[in-house]
């Protein structure tokens, strides 16, 4: 599963870990996260993330 990086604060979304504090279960791919999810560190939306390694 591909990692996604927040372009604002550098938070890395790890699908294997999910984001349990936001209701995202471990094993959830980035594409399957609801569109209204935001970065747990800075609050930017999903559109502020890029796949790791994409600049």
């Amino acid at each position: 599963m591909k990692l996604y990086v927040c372009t604002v604060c550098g938070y890395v979304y790890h699908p294997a870990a999910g984001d349990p504090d936001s209701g995202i279960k471990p094993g959830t791919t980035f594409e399957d996260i609801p569109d209204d999810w935001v970065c747990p560190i800075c609050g930017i939306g999903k559109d502020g993330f890029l796949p790791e390694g994409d600049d």
Side-chain angles (χ1 to χ4, degrees):
M1 285 189 263
K2 193 169 236 190
L3 305 180
Y4 280 75
V5 181
C6 177
T7 60
V8 173
C9 72
Y11 170 81
V12 178
Y13 176 75
H14 294 268
D19 181 13
D21 292 341
S22 297
I24 308 299
K25 294 180 181 179
T28 303
T29 65
F30 190 78
E31 293 80 8
D32 289 337
I33 295 173
D35 289 336
D36 62 352
W37 178 82
V38 296
C39 176
I41 304 299
C42 71
I44 196 165
K46 277 181 70 175
D47 59 348
F49 281 74
L50 290 174
E52 187 174 60
D54 289 1
D55 291 331

